[in-house]
Amino acid sequence: MEEKDYYYLSGETKVGPLSLEALKSAPVTASTLVWNNTLPNWVAANTLPELQGLFAVETAPPPTAQAAPAYSQRSPLGGANVPPPMPENYLVWAILTTMFCCWPVGIFAIINSTKVSSAYIAGDYEGAQKASENAKNLAIWTAIAGGIVGVIVIIIYAIVIAVGISSGALDY
């Protein structure tokens, strides 16, 4: 069974990733919003079966009249909007494939990697996710292309050496 990484919101700050045991010892109430990779949206902590035993019956405080931030996901509790977790930027992979493989394509992977955090901070969560996917795909294809080029170079060297030996050019 794969262990889930949990996150919870403390005010507007996302805290995590945490194991289930760490989440249970965190300052989480029944109405604290939590998320893990099996959930499509943030939910109240008391709605997760693995956390229900932690909470005594609580009454929710009355809603306050505050302006909700302009996020793309609505809270299931009807309160403020909650941003999704920031997607992976794959910057390390983009840099490594640029340095050791095919740098022209790798540069585009680096550009997309750096777009992830700036789009996320600007509130463009779909743009951040798209840049993340592009960076990942470009890094993968750059690594594959570099591997193919490496294999071709080794084959060419082997052929040149074999021809040199058979023609006597490499006799010692």
Side-chain angles (χ1 to χ4, degrees):
M1 181 175 185
E2 182 178 324
E3 184 161 335
K4 301 173 192 170
D5 287 331
Y6 291 88
Y7 297 84
Y8 73 94
L9 291 179
S10 176
E12 289 189 21
T13 305
K14 179 178 71 169
V15 180
L18 302 169
S19 66
L20 178 60
E21 294 306 314
L23 181 65
K24 287 180 179 180
S25 63
V28 173
T29 65
S31 60
T32 301
L33 294 178
V34 296
W35 181 86
N36 67 46
N37 59 346
T38 64
L39 299 172
N41 294 313
W42 293 81
V43 297
N46 64 352
T47 63
L48 293 179
E50 59 266 35
L51 297 177
Q52 286 179 347
L54 294 176
F55 308 110
V57 177
E58 292 183 8
T59 58
T64 58
Q66 294 179 346
Y71 297 128
S72 63
Q73 289 184 335
R74 296 285 303 165
S75 166
L77 302 177
N81 293 330
V82 180
M86 186 167 83
E88 176 70 37
N89 64 12
Y90 301 100
L91 183 59
V92 172
W93 292 108
I95 291 171
L96 289 175
T97 56
T98 301
M99 288 174 43
F100 297 113
C101 297
C102 305
W103 64 268
V105 180
I107 289 174
F108 290 107
I110 291 173
I111 290 169
N112 278 284
S113 295
T114 58
K115 285 182 181 179
V116 174
S117 60
S118 59
Y120 183 82
I121 291 169
D124 181 11
Y125 306 120
E126 292 176 19
Q129 185 64 39
K130 183 178 178 185
S132 174
E133 289 295 320
N134 287 343
K136 177 183 175 183
N137 291 336
L138 286 168
I140 289 171
W141 285 109
T142 303
I144 290 171
I148 291 171
V149 168
V151 168
I152 291 172
V153 167
I154 290 171
I155 291 171
I156 290 172
Y157 279 136
I159 291 171
V160 168
I161 290 171
V163 168
I165 290 173
S166 66
S167 67
L170 295 178
D171 285 342
Y172 296 104

